[in-house]
């Protein structure tokens, strides 16, 4: 699932991406729903300026208990996860086994507005939207490789002799 020029803060989207990457799809959905009611928080690891400290952060490996509850970005991610879930059902995959393998947020071009300052001046009032991309894959069950019978170490000379026999040369 992908969305471009989404008018939510890029920095919030980046932190949510790093929080849900690698999670099962249904687990990520319930996690973000808990973020909306502030039972869980989004750990902020990179963009930590002005982020408050909360007791909820003890659950996560985050410096200084820095978590936040970015509501608007979380709602956007929940919409994307709902879309992703319907895509999974449409393709006939098992929703229980689907895992988010790729979650990425990029900065979109800034949108400009204006704010009116003192003495008749005008200043910029920019927004920092984001492009978001989520990819989910079904967890594949790995099949154990059958062990080939090993004949032990063969010297370089003996390997050359065996190759000569296969080609049809004289038997050594």
């Amino acid at each position: 699932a992908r969305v471009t020029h989404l008018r939510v803060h890029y920095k919030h989207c980046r932190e949510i991406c790093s929080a849900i990457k690698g999670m099962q799809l249904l687990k990520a959905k319930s996690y973000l729903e808990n973020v909306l009611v502030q039972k869980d928080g989004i750990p902020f690891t990179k963009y930590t300026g002005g982020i408050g400290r909360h007791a909820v952060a003890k659950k996560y490996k985050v410096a200084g208990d820095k978590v936040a509850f970015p509501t608007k970005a979380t709602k956007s991610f929940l919409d994307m996860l709902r879309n992703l879930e319907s895509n999974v059902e449409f393709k006939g995959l098992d929703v229980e086994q689907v895992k988010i393998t790729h979650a990425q947020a990029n900065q979109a071009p800034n949108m400009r507005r204006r704010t009116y300052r003192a003495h008749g001046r005008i200043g910029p009032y920019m927004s920092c939207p984001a492009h978001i991309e989520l990819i989910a894959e079904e967890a594949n069950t790995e099949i154990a490789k059958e062990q080939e019978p090993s004949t032990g170490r063969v010297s370089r000379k003996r390997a050359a002799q065996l190759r000569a026999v296969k080609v049809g040369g004289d038997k050594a």
Side-chain angles (χ1 to χ4, degrees):
R2 175 185 295 167
V3 64
T4 59
H5 302 286
L6 184 66
R7 198 159 177 185
V8 294
H9 292 307
Y10 157 73
K11 293 181 179 183
H12 293 173
C13 293
R14 186 260 174 210
E15 301 293 354
I16 293 174
C17 280
S18 65
I20 67 171
K21 187 176 181 180
M23 279 190 184
Q24 299 285 338
L25 181 63
L26 299 178
K27 186 179 174 193
K29 256 179 90 172
S30 65
Y31 170 65
L32 291 181
E33 286 164 358
N34 285 342
V35 169
L36 286 178
V37 295
Q38 297 191 0
K39 284 185 180 175
D40 283 326
I42 301 294
F44 274 60
T45 55
K46 184 174 181 182
Y47 300 108
T48 57
I51 298 296
R53 298 184 296 181
H54 299 278
V56 180
K58 292 174 186 168
K59 292 183 189 178
Y60 313 108
K61 191 174 184 180
V62 57
D65 289 345
K66 303 244 179 166
V67 296
F69 312 98
T71 308
K72 187 175 176 183
T74 304
K75 286 179 182 175
S76 301
F77 269 87
L78 275 171
D79 290 342
M80 286 187 68
L81 289 178
R82 253 181 246 116
N83 185 336
L84 199 59
E85 186 177 3
S86 65
N87 291 349
V88 165
E89 289 171 357
F90 179 74
K91 289 187 177 188
L93 302 174
D94 185 16
V95 180
E96 304 284 328
Q97 298 296 320
V98 171
K99 192 176 196 177
I100 299 170
T101 56
H102 176 79
Q104 173 180 321
N106 293 329
Q107 290 181 348
N110 286 358
M111 297 175 171
R112 300 185 72 94
R113 289 188 292 169
R114 52 171 55 174
T115 184
Y116 298 95
R117 310 304 300 253
H119 308 295
R121 292 176 301 129
I122 291 175
Y125 203 63
M126 312 287 274
S127 70
C128 302
H131 304 308
I132 305 171
E133 186 177 81
L134 296 177
I135 297 176
E137 295 176 5
E138 194 171 30
N140 55 351
T141 56
E142 294 188 16
I143 300 169
K145 186 176 180 182
E146 187 176 319
Q147 290 287 342
E148 293 182 11
S150 62
T151 57
R153 301 192 97 194
V154 179
S155 68
R156 204 181 292 180
K157 182 178 178 181
R158 182 66 185 145
Q161 290 170 347
L162 292 172
R163 279 195 304 273
V165 171
K166 287 181 185 174
V167 173
D170 293 335
K171 188 168 183 170

